[in-house]
Amino acid sequence: MADFFHDRIDAGNRLAEKLLAYHARPNTMILALPRGGVPVAYPVAKRLKLPLDVFLVRKLGVPYPGHEELAMGAIALGGIKVFNQEVIQAMDIPEQLIEAEIIKEQQVLESRAVLYRGNKNPLNLTNKTVILIDDGIATGATILSAVKALHEKACKRIIMAIPVAPQSTLDKLSNEVNEIVCLRTPKDFFAIGSWYQDFSQTTDAEVQSLLHKSSQYKAD
């Protein structure tokens, strides 16, 4: 098997092979972190015959020019906040800039909830098994925020399924979930996109299209 994924759909097809034990399992659903996690999750949902929805979280980027891609934390709907204190301290980020970033990303979070989910009812995840999918993990701040929010929704089990991540990050996350399925744990990680031949940005239209196509899979 090649070290690189062709694109997110390819990664999802490979991930599905490792998740066949959950095929058509009752009270089980797939949640994707948009936007990049949705095209990974779609072929998994299709192969496993499971419902697919999005779980919205937003990275809190360092609010300094040239460092915006570095995560100082993340937020999820419901007031969930996770911070990377090492980054905050190392970059000497003042509280007022952190709060400004939270307000900005909260607005994006709420607008995307409407864009992707429309008038759907809030997710009922009580006693559900959730397979949480993204296109990769770097520091883990974003997906950790999602996991903490899922715990508050009384999920029965959480399976974290990702194509690529550094082993050190997976070790930090291992106590937060019931199971981790990861296809690649490269020693020299660099960045998520470096493990894809095509890592072009996923659009809102693509997310909406894939969610619409997946709507044939009904939750139990």
Side-chain angles (χ1 to χ4, degrees):
M1 188 179 289
D3 288 336
F4 296 91
F5 304 107
H6 174 64
D7 56 15
R8 291 178 178 89
I9 295 291
D10 174 43
N13 283 323
R14 298 195 205 184
L15 203 53
E17 293 291 329
K18 301 296 184 181
L19 293 164
L20 293 177
Y22 296 96
H23 182 271
R25 184 174 291 193
N27 294 315
T28 301
M29 70 180 304
I30 293 172
L31 293 181
L33 298 186
R35 288 177 288 197
V38 176
V40 179
Y42 174 74
V44 179
K46 185 176 180 181
R47 179 75 181 274
L48 301 188
K49 297 292 187 281
L50 291 174
L52 170 65
D53 209 324
V54 290
F55 198 72
L56 290 151
V57 295
R58 288 289 294 175
K59 178 180 73 175
L60 298 173
V62 170
Y64 296 151
H67 297 279
E68 294 88 352
E69 291 302 310
L70 179 61
M72 64 175 177
I75 59 172
L77 287 176
I80 304 298
K81 302 170 188 173
V82 177
F83 297 106
N84 186 329
Q85 294 297 341
E86 291 181 2
V87 170
I88 290 171
Q89 292 171 10
M91 302 293 289
D92 194 23
I93 306 169
E95 184 69 26
Q96 62 266 31
L97 289 185
I98 296 173
E99 287 301 318
E101 188 71 10
I102 290 172
I103 291 170
K104 181 183 75 173
E105 295 301 338
Q106 184 69 33
Q107 292 172 342
V108 176
L109 206 58
E110 292 170 359
S111 66
R112 287 194 175 172
V114 174
L115 181 65
Y116 299 150
R117 304 196 74 252
N119 295 320
K120 286 184 181 178
N121 292 328
L123 288 167
N124 179 8
L125 302 176
T126 302
N127 292 323
K128 296 264 188 171
T129 294
V130 169
I131 301 174
L132 183 63
I133 294 180
D134 203 357
D135 53 12
I137 300 175
T139 66
T142 302
I143 204 163
L144 178 59
S145 179
V147 168
K148 288 184 178 295
L150 289 174
H151 282 305
E152 292 202 0
K153 291 182 174 291
C155 296
K156 182 179 180 181
R157 285 175 55 82
I158 303 172
I159 294 91
M160 185 184 296
I162 58 275
V164 61
Q167 187 61 52
S168 58
T169 299
L170 296 183
D171 291 343
K172 293 176 184 177
L173 295 169
S174 61
N175 291 331
E176 303 290 337
V177 296
N178 299 97
E179 181 183 350
I180 294 177
V181 176
C182 184
L183 301 179
R184 298 281 182 275
T185 54
K187 183 178 179 181
D188 299 317
F189 180 76
F190 301 118
I192 295 169
S194 64
W195 299 97
Y196 286 82
Q197 293 173 332
D198 178 2
F199 199 64
S200 53
Q201 185 175 11
T202 304
T203 66
D204 288 332
E206 184 178 1
V207 170
Q208 291 172 308
S209 174
L210 292 174
L211 290 175
H212 177 72
K213 287 197 291 184
S214 73
S215 62
Q216 63 186 296
Y217 306 122
K218 303 297 183 183
D220 293 296

